Amino acid sequence: MNRRHFLHWSSALALTPLLLRKSWAEGMADMPGMDHAAMAHGASASMPAADSLGLPHGLPLPSLSMLENHGAPGHFVGQLRAAPVSLPLLPGKPATTFWSYNGQIPGPAIVAWEGDEVSLQFANQLGQPSTIHWHGMPVPVGQDGNPHDPVLPGQTRDYRFSLPAASAASYWYHPHPHGHTAQQAYMGLAGVFVVKSRHDPLVHLPEQWLVLSDLKLDDQGQIATSSAADHHDGREGQFVLVNGGWQPEIALAEGERQRWRIWNASSARILKLALPAHEVDLVGTDGGLIGAPRRIDSVLLSPGERAEIVITGRFVPGQPSALQALPYNRGKAMGKEQTDILTLATIRQTGSKATAALPGTLRDIAALGNPAVKRVVNFSENMADPAAMFLINGKTFDMERVDFIGKVGQIEEWDIASQAHMDHPFHLHGTQFQVIARTDDGVWQTEPFLAWRDVVNIPAGETVRLRFVQQQPGLRMFHCHILEHEDAGMMAMLDVRP
Ligand code: C2O
Ligand code: CU
């Protein structure tokens, strides 16, 4: 029994020490009537079932449209326009209104190279302020689309930055305006930004790019408003889409190796991804390739997080050939937990192929040294105060308040704890970090491998220790990447001084 099942029952419990909570939870384990039905009472009663809506599924995986580059070599110059768009989604129903970049769901993919200069003109044709945040990218603070820097309705602005050496990775972009990030993201505003390297050890492998997003429709086939449970737990809909399609089909040959880049662009879902039967090696995280491939059974992707995997086709009769999301309990207070296996995509066998080599080493990652500063970051929930429910170190976000003062080039070590019912995925702007250790049921475990990340899930009751260096000065946001929590104040700022 997962101890987190029991943490719903009293918010006061979140304040009691872990050990106490554990034994309390174990004591409750046999009590009759303690089931999910009771916990689901807050879920939106009006959300129509997925099957009743008739959304087409099982079509070939949609490929992402690419943002056109108007620049000379070494320069990416493009335009992104945020505006409402109506797309036919459900047969026999009026078109569904999304908010999109350039009319695309997901937004157009941007592909640039290490060393490139990037210049992106953003036109905001929404009815509310917006920004574009270049999630995970090492961009100057004035170009990072912070909530301090809104682009008002009808305005345009240019974002300019350059892509440093060794920055190749799978990033993404999404709005980050004050208080409206969740809505703008669930209405459809998000796209991927892939930075490529000219020395890529996996360049010989064919690639698939999979953007996982969440769609919640009402019975008219329009994007539903958020329920109380969505605001509290983080919004989840009836559908997890892949590149905007529902349960698409991906072609793979027996023995074939493909490199998949996967983005969790959902507001709140924590996806425990698995590909039963097939061989899967983790080769990259948010900040690009890891040191060496690692054979895995599953990978946990929290909102905002990315993984690169190499899949080798192994079709085993009688075993499902699919990209699945395994059940995961993230400690919701109101909504129902995911207790079933979700099929996100099916994988159809197309003949067989010779198996390409997978290099034994991918990249050098040096461990960050001893920290000059150590800090503690506590995520907590206060159900008693609807105006300040989601807190960092006991405080709700304030645009005018600097929470920590740091220094360019200084190694920082942060212990980030979820002293709460729920998992809260931590995200830091401006740089990538290395996870050093994490607790598992309160017991510290050293991280088994080095990786560059910009999002890490902090499970309820646990702590994650990470280190980073900021190379550029300015105010950097850090927050929970459940977008409803971020909007509700679970965000704070690090001022990096020169
Ligand atoms: Cu992807 Cu501050 O966000
Ligand atoms: Cu959160």
Side-chain angles (χ1 to χ4, degrees):
M1 209 17 132
N2 187 315
R3 76 193 148 77
R4 275 186 279 132
H5 282 253
F6 301 96
L7 298 183
H8 304 283
W9 294 96
S10 159
S11 56
L13 242 133
L15 304 172
T16 59
L18 184 72
L19 268 177
L20 211 81
R21 276 191 282 152
K22 248 195 111 168
S23 53
W24 184 82
E26 278 155 9
M28 302 290 274
D30 303 322
M31 275 186 61
M34 287 247 160
D35 60 17
H36 288 278
M39 284 188 273
H41 71 278
S44 165
S46 61
M47 185 165 86
D51 294 341
S52 72
L53 286 162
L55 183 68
H57 64 116
L59 301 170
L61 177 70
S63 48
L64 300 173
S65 66
M66 296 287 154
L67 185 65
E68 203 183 326
N69 181 4
H70 303 289
H75 214 121
F76 192 101
V77 179
Q79 283 160 346
L80 291 167
R81 189 175 61 92
V85 65
S86 290
L87 299 172
L89 200 65
L90 304 181
K93 287 254 165 71
T96 305
T97 301
F98 292 86
W99 297 349
S100 79
Y101 292 116
N102 298 4
Q104 310 284 335
I105 301 288
I110 303 173
V111 182
W113 294 85
E114 289 175 347
D116 279 2
E117 296 296 320
V118 178
S119 158
L120 290 157
Q121 188 191 70
F122 170 48
N124 179 10
Q125 297 178 2
L126 303 171
Q128 51 182 234
S130 191
T131 75
I132 303 183
H133 170 53
W134 312 100
H135 178 122
M137 305 186 72
V139 312
V141 76
Q143 306 300 315
D144 205 24
N146 280 348
H148 305 78
D149 198 8
V151 180
L152 299 178
Q155 283 190 343
T156 61
R157 76 153 279 175
D158 284 344
Y159 290 101
R160 290 171 194 272
F161 46 88
S162 51
L163 301 171
S167 61
S170 310
Y171 305 103
W172 61 301
Y173 61 94
H174 64 77
H176 216 305
H178 188 53
H180 292 288
T181 298
Q183 182 189 17
Q184 292 186 14
Y186 77 64
M187 288 301 292
L189 292 165
V192 307
F193 196 136
V194 172
V195 178
K196 296 201 162 193
S197 161
R198 308 219 182 253
H199 315 279
D200 183 345
L202 300 177
V203 72
H204 59 292
L205 298 178
E207 294 197 20
Q208 303 272 14
W209 296 2
L210 311 179
V211 180
L212 310 180
S213 65
D214 194 280
L215 179 69
K216 180 174 179 176
L217 296 176
D218 64 18
D219 53 10
Q220 295 308 303
Q222 297 303 311
I223 301 206
T225 52
S226 285
S227 65
D230 292 336
H231 282 294
H232 189 276
D233 296 336
R235 174 181 167 110
E236 293 184 8
Q238 301 97 330
F239 307 99
V240 179
L241 303 183
V242 188
N243 298 356
W246 186 31
Q247 298 180 330
E249 193 180 81
I250 301 172
L252 180 73
E254 171 73 25
E256 181 184 4
R257 280 209 162 118
Q258 294 183 350
R259 176 192 197 170
W260 288 11
R261 299 175 189 257
I262 308 174
W263 286 260
N264 183 348
S266 70
S267 298
R269 281 183 190 268
I270 296 178
L271 296 165
K272 186 176 181 185
L273 301 174
L275 288 147
H278 303 292
E279 284 171 22
V280 179
D281 293 277
L282 180 72
V283 295
T285 50
D286 306 319
L289 296 176
I290 55 176
R294 296 177 63 85
R295 183 59 52 88
I296 53 170
D297 294 323
S298 68
V299 59
L300 193 74
L301 269 199
S302 56
E305 208 175 343
R306 292 85 68 206
E308 289 185 55
I309 61 170
V310 168
I311 175 172
T312 309
R314 300 284 181 231
F315 292 86
V316 180
Q319 282 220 43
S321 176
L323 173 64
Q324 300 178 330
L326 304 180
Y328 185 79
N329 184 332
R330 61 182 182 84
K332 294 179 202 173
M334 297 173 79
K336 199 171 158 304
E337 295 292 346
Q338 182 202 331
T339 49
D340 298 333
I341 295 175
L342 301 181
T343 298
L344 305 186
T346 57
I347 300 162
R348 183 173 48 87
Q349 183 177 355
T350 50
S352 59
K353 273 195 182 148
T355 303
L358 182 58
T361 58
L362 301 169
R363 183 194 196 180
D364 268 342
I365 300 185
L368 291 174
N370 287 328
V373 201
K374 294 189 183 188
R375 306 187 204 268
V376 169
V377 173
N378 289 325
F379 285 134
S380 66
E381 301 156 15
N382 176 14
M383 298 313 129
D385 184 356
M389 214 184 263
F390 295 99
L391 308 172
I392 294 183
N393 289 351
K395 295 179 187 145
T396 189
F397 177 59
D398 177 348
M399 287 251 263
E400 309 304 324
R401 187 189 65 232
V402 168
D403 297 275
F404 294 138
I405 295 174
K407 218 174 149 38
V408 167
Q410 170 177 276
I411 298 174
E412 301 234 1
E413 181 177 283
W414 289 17
D415 277 6
I416 303 156
S418 172
Q419 297 181 344
H421 303 109
M422 258 184 273
D423 292 19
H424 294 284
F426 169 86
H427 172 53
L428 170 66
H429 289 202
T431 192
Q432 298 281 321
F433 54 73
Q434 294 179 349
V435 173
I436 305 299
R438 325 180 185 223
T439 63
D440 181 11
D441 266 340
V443 180
W444 282 102
Q445 309 284 347
T446 304
E447 188 75 349
F449 65 103
L450 285 170
W452 291 111
R453 303 177 187 274
D454 56 59
V455 179
V456 63
N457 188 48
I458 319 290
E462 307 289 1
T463 306
V464 174
R465 178 168 298 155
L466 52 82
R467 290 183 186 165
F468 64 86
V469 176
Q470 294 278 3
Q471 301 292 4
Q472 302 181 64
L475 271 184
R476 297 297 187 176
M477 330 298 300
F478 56 96
H479 58 85
C480 173
H481 218 285
I482 291 179
L483 298 178
E484 287 76 15
H485 296 174
E486 174 198 324
D487 280 343
M490 205 174 238
M491 177 151 71
M493 289 189 286
L494 166 68
D495 186 8
V496 183
R497 304 248 166 112

